[in-house]
Amino acid sequence: MLLWVILLVLAPVSGQFGKVQNCDFNITFGVSYECLNMMKWQRSIDYLWDPLPSRTHKSIIFLQPPWTTVFRGERVTLTCKGFGFYSSQKTKWYYRYLGKEISRETEKNTLQVQESGEYRCQAQGSPLSSPVYLDFSSASLILQAPLSVFEGDSVVLRCRAKAEVTLMTTIYKNENVLAFLNKTTDFHISHASLKDNGAYRCTGYKETCCLVSSNTVKIQVQVPASHPVLTLSPEKALNFEGTKVTLHCETQEDSLRTLYKFYRDGVPLRHKSVRCEKGASISFSLTTEHSGNYYCTADNGHGAKPSEAVSLSVTVPVSRPVLTLSSAEDLISEGAKLTLHCEAQRGSLPIVYQFHHEDAALGNRSAHSAGGVAISFSLTAEHSGNYYCTADNGFGPQRSEAVSLSITVPVSRPVLTLSSAEALTFEGATVTLYCEVQRGSPRILYQFYHEDVPLGSNSTPSVGKVSFSFSLTAAHSGNYYCTADNGFGPQRSEAVSLFVTVPVSRPILTLRVPRSQAVVGDLLELRCEALRGSPPIMYWFYHEDVTLGSSSVSSGGEASFNLSLTAEHSGNYSCEANNGLVAQHSDTISLSVIVPVSRPILTFRAPRAQAVVGDPLELHCEALRGSSPILYGFYHEDVTLGKISAPSGGGASFNLSLTTEHSGIYSCEADNGLEAQRSEMVTLKVAVPVSRPVLTLRAPRAQVAVGDVLELHCEALRGSPLILYQFYHEDVTLGNSSALSGGAFFNLSLTAEHSGNYSCEADNGLGAQRSETVTLYLTGLTENRSGPVATGVTGGLLSLAGLAAGALLLYCWLSRKAGREPASDPCRSPSDSESQEPTYHNVPAWEELQPVYSNVNPRGENVVYSEVRIIREKKKHAVASDTRHLRNKGSPIIYSEVKVASTPASRCLFLASSAPHR
């Protein structure tokens, strides 16, 4: 948009055509409608054609889409343009509807709206825009037209309908049928003129009922003004100020409503304009300020148009010029560059300036712009005298006043010399400095310097030398020079070096490490410095009186030596400085190098190779490297067991009394304040020794006889696998078997020799445990096997029960006899309130059953005799099932196990109930 406006302003006002963004426009007769739609521009001819940056123009609102009437629910984007068509700026917006006004501000120059009403905007640096009324219609049919139409524009009237309206469109102008639109929504006016003014509407049909009419749009074609013509009277400007001139502006469409304005170099003229019979005029007397380019504008209400420019030049004679002298140096002296500047404050250009020295012409220059001219040259002694200049622009030369110039001779470069009655290598010697110049105008000021520091000064009325004396110290080594100045700038001598030899002082050693404590691997920097002493100085570095290295410093200062620290670098350090006169040794500095802990090693210490429940376990953690003290932490499954500090190395230990819960993964950590290190993980499995096993004998029938298969089952209820089970008959090994769980089995085909005592042994490597003995009685092989066997087993068991009962009665009697009767009667009725284990289990009727024998006291309890469990035989010669299955199925029992508590009452209970039950 800005490019288009620039092209419009720069184009000649002769009706030529330009082209911007594929958009043709005619400067004289306006811009086409298609171009305006594409640029989203509302016409403002006075804004486009007024090229004055000082004039304040109204802001302009652009619409997208470019219609003032749209359907409700649609959005219209408003763009506010101020002077210069800035694309993005803070903008104020004003909305008025039904007498209520709302204002807001946006960061950019665009605003989307959906409400009917009057909108105005104000861009930065521009006044408020003209109002734009938008109608968001709820009608079924609307006619859309542009906001403004200029003569020559291509205009589109668009008839839009909602879904329920059939577009069999008719366009009306002033209630007369203008055209019928078939399958299109647009009516085109290709070249707008005044005959197209009028009120327009369109109609269509609703599908369900009737004819529908749109809103009415009024078109008022605006006619732009033609370009005015500016004339100057008299036609040519005179050469003198005070001449009266008249500017006249006239246009072909002149009317009383035409507004004329006059401009010089783009600035509005403040002179009063006079309305003429045709056009307008202004008059004024010429001054030097009136030179420039003039033009006028004419505005008949449809946009201002500018005239072609007319140039006016006022010629003024030169005033008396002024001559000035200037130099890059403060004083005018030989060799200096002198500049002569001549300038006349008033006078028409061009002006010819001429320079003179004692009436001799030096040269001339012509000036085509204000500011005068200048010439420059280097001064010699002959340039002393009077200078003047002249200025002439054709009306006679004007001469400046004379300026005098006196050339003086600056001093030549001085020479500095040193002398001393003694050798200059020791402190305390007296030295004299001499400074002398060969040329220079008096009076001359001499100044002495040591390394740019002033030592003293001396003045002399003629050319010669001056001196300065002082006693040497170590600080006097360095460069000396002098300066001479006679008012035209000091001249400096070449430097003279003086070296005073000074023995070295005792050096200072400093140790620098990258952290507060020295750590293995750090870079140690040793710095040695003697604060006094003539260079070169040789520095030596020592660790425990062993030379580390040396360094020579040729110009004073310090020397350094670097070490990559190891554990062996702990100890005492010192340095030595020597400049050939005397050697000096520094104080000793101690350094302790800290060694980070290495990854610790975790070891288990137990009384046996296999960790067993109840054993003491010592966890030992040790880092083989690392400075003390070291804090050790012990962990079981990442849970902290404890922390122990080892102040002098050797690791640390943590003790445990093992339980089954102590199985798992262990680790330890070592930390000496630098970086903690964790050991590798060690797995510990705590083994459980086997408990005393239980031996169970299983036979295929109730009466065991020779030839039957006897199954021996041995099981330890506690113990870590793998468990080795051994079976014994009268302490003779029958066989063995290993099992992870559930015990082991051994089958035996019975012979007469198999009567006797049986036992078993369990061993998981932590100590063997032997079961209690189980006795087996066999009967001989007869025709009726069931009777004798059952009788034998029954008799045997009754005999055992009788012996036990007798023993218990004897014990109770002896206890009472001895007066040791317990607090409660041990032979009282079992119905007492004390809890008792059941004495018997149900005993089924006698029949051919499979006996299962268990050893007495299988779990270390006080059991009087074995239990015998019987299983009904379903299949002859089948091996008895596991005791656990027998219990689950509620198998019949011939004799129940009789458990006796540790109290006498329990023993009495056994006596009272010793007879078997059927």
Side-chain angles (χ1 to χ4, degrees), residues 265-485:
D265 295 332
V267 179
L269 295 180
R270 299 184 181 276
H271 301 80
K272 183 178 180 181
S273 63
V274 178
R275 181 73 187 184
C276 302
E277 180 179 351
K278 191 172 184 180
S281 300
I282 61 171
S283 299
F284 50 88
S285 298
L286 289 177
T287 65
T288 55
E289 289 80 10
H290 284 127
S291 295
N293 295 317
Y294 290 79
Y295 67 91
C296 67
T297 61
D299 189 354
N300 65 352
H302 300 291
K305 292 293 182 69
S307 71
E308 291 186 358
V310 176
S311 295
L312 177 63
S313 177
V314 180
T315 303
V316 180
V318 295
S319 60
R320 188 176 186 182
V322 176
L323 177 67
T324 56
L325 283 69
S326 63
S327 173
E329 292 80 10
D330 294 333
L331 300 177
I332 305 301
S333 59
E334 279 188 314
K337 187 176 183 180
L338 180 67
T339 299
L340 304 179
H341 182 265
C342 187
E343 181 180 4
Q345 297 298 322
R346 296 176 67 252
S348 300
L349 300 172
I351 301 174
V352 177
Y353 293 94
Q354 187 148 12
F355 296 89
H356 300 268
H357 173 224
E358 300 291 353
D359 295 329
L362 297 176
N364 57 61
R365 299 283 190 276
S366 180
H368 295 272
S369 60
V373 296
I375 63 171
S376 299
F377 50 89
S378 296
L379 292 176
T380 64
E382 289 76 18
H383 283 127
S384 294
N386 295 318
Y387 291 80
Y388 67 91
C389 69
T390 61
D392 189 2
N393 67 345
F395 296 94
Q398 295 288 327
R399 176 172 171 166
S400 71
E401 292 184 356
V403 177
S404 296
L405 180 64
S406 177
I407 309 299
T408 58
V409 179
V411 295
S412 60
R413 189 175 187 183
V415 177
L416 177 69
T417 56
L418 284 72
S419 66
S420 175
E422 306 171 30
L424 299 181
T425 56
F426 298 103
E427 292 179 300
T430 300
V431 68
T432 301
L433 306 178
Y434 295 95
C435 189
E436 182 179 7
V437 296
Q438 300 298 323
R439 294 175 65 251
S441 303
R443 183 177 198 95
I444 302 174
L445 176 65
Y446 293 92
Q447 184 84 35
F448 295 90
Y449 294 88
H450 173 222
E451 301 291 355
D452 296 329
V453 177
L455 297 175
S457 62
N458 203 341
S459 179
T460 177
S462 61
V463 175
K465 69 169 65 173
V466 296
S467 62
F468 180 82
S469 301
F470 54 92
S471 296
L472 291 177
T473 65
H476 284 126
S477 292
N479 295 319
Y480 290 81
Y481 64 90
C482 68
T483 61
D485 189 2

Side-chain angles (χ1 to χ4, degrees), residues 109-167:
N109 66 335
T110 59
L111 179 69
Q112 281 194 343
V113 297
Q114 287 183 292
E115 300 293 335
S116 298
E118 180 184 286
Y119 291 88
R120 294 184 298 165
C121 76
Q122 185 173 10
Q124 288 182 343
S126 298
L128 198 63
S129 70
S130 299
V132 173
Y133 187 87
L134 298 181
D135 182 16
F136 289 87
S137 176
S138 59
S140 300
L141 184 68
I142 61 173
L143 179 63
Q144 296 179 316
L147 179 64
S148 58
V149 177
F150 285 81
E151 190 176 38
D153 284 353
S154 176
V155 181
V156 174
L157 300 179
R158 180 166 294 169
C159 190
R160 293 180 59 198
K162 292 186 177 178
E164 68 269 16
V165 175
T166 302
L167 278 178

